[in-house]
Amino acid sequence: MTPLVFVHGFMGGSKQWKLQAPLAGDRKLIAIDLPGFGKNAHKDALRSIPEFAEWVLAEVDAEQFDLLGHSMGGMIAQEMIQLAPDRVRKLVQYATGAEGIIPERFEPIETSIQRAHADGAKSTARRISATWFLDIETAQEFPACARIAEACSLQAIIAGLEAMQNWSGLTHLAKIALPTLVLWGDRDRTYSWSQTETLWHNIPDCRLAVLPACAHAVHLENPILFNQLVSDFLETNL
């Protein structure tokens, strides 16, 4: 069975996919830690979405794989398709968009950059990671996510924010020539419906799943439904 590669989002890491273990079955799960984040938090973060995409392609040794990108990881996944379209069989775009400028984000990226400089890395990590959950700091999985985010340096936080801010994939959406699933939580504070709708309407072979009463971390807030939707998509002959 085709391996599934997970590309986490901003201030994320491979440990955030622990509840997706049921997706393994007969398939290999490959969870990436981007430079500057997760288990690679000791490394300097890269400064552009294309650089991250090139790094992931070099890191994954599978000749062909399915690809799931979350948030900033979804942007990276779109770039990976442009660089190596033949290596990806199916694509999952999860809680992400095609534009780095996100007008309806809980705060403008420029504000996040300014506050990160003022408040420091650890405070910024906890504050932003709380927005990923519908129940904010009281969410069951918030402490684990906050610990992963807190490992990030200020350099990685600023680099990640600037990489997103300076990126757009709008002109490439129509060129994504493979089956795609767009997943979105209807209470997402980071990516609005307009971003999700843009993906859905512009990727040619695209299907949409909207999960109710979830924010930006659907895979942790409703893992059973999330896993079922991803599994059905990957295993269906389209």
Side-chain angles (χ1 to χ4, degrees), residues 64 78 81-82 84-91 172-180 202-207:
Q64 189 177 55
Q78 290 175 47
I81 299 299
Q82 302 310 312
D86 294 338
R87 291 189 65 188
V88 182
R89 186 184 73 108
K90 290 185 178 182
L91 173 66
H172 297 302
L173 293 181
K175 302 173 187 176
I176 298 178
L178 68 162
T180 301
N202 289 280
I203 297 174
D205 186 4
C206 186
R207 48 221 32 84

Side-chain angles (χ1 to χ4, degrees), residues 124-177:
T124 298
R126 290 191 67 83
R127 181 179 67 83
I128 292 180
S129 58
T131 69
W132 301 340
F133 297 91
L134 186 62
D135 295 329
I136 314 179
E137 291 93 342
T138 62
Q140 182 175 349
E141 296 297 327
F142 166 72
C145 274
R147 284 193 295 273
I148 295 169
E150 286 170 347
C152 298
S153 67
L154 183 60
Q155 184 274 336
I157 290 173
I158 300 302
L161 289 168
E162 290 181 345
M164 289 187 286
Q165 186 180 45
N166 296 327
W167 178 83
S168 175
L170 278 173
T171 60
H172 297 302
L173 293 181
K175 302 173 187 176
I176 298 178

Side-chain angles (χ1 to χ4, degrees), residues 5 8 35 41 48 50 55 61 66 85-86 95 99-101 109 131 133 135 139-140 154 165 178 186 188 205 223:
V5 174
H8 64 77
S48 74
W55 185 91
D61 58 8
D66 294 324
D86 294 338
E99 293 182 278
I101 300 297
I109 287 181
T131 69
F133 297 91
D135 295 329
Q140 182 175 349
L154 183 60
Q165 186 180 45
L178 68 162
D186 69 348
D188 195 327
D205 186 4

Side-chain angles (χ1 to χ4, degrees), residues 4-8 13-18 28-34 39 59:
L4 173 60
V5 174
F6 295 97
V7 183
H8 64 77
S14 60
K15 289 184 178 179
Q16 286 184 346
W17 303 108
K18 62 183 180 179
K28 181 180 180 181
L29 302 181
I30 304 170
I32 296 298
D33 286 283
L34 297 169
K39 295 177 182 178
E59 187 76 4

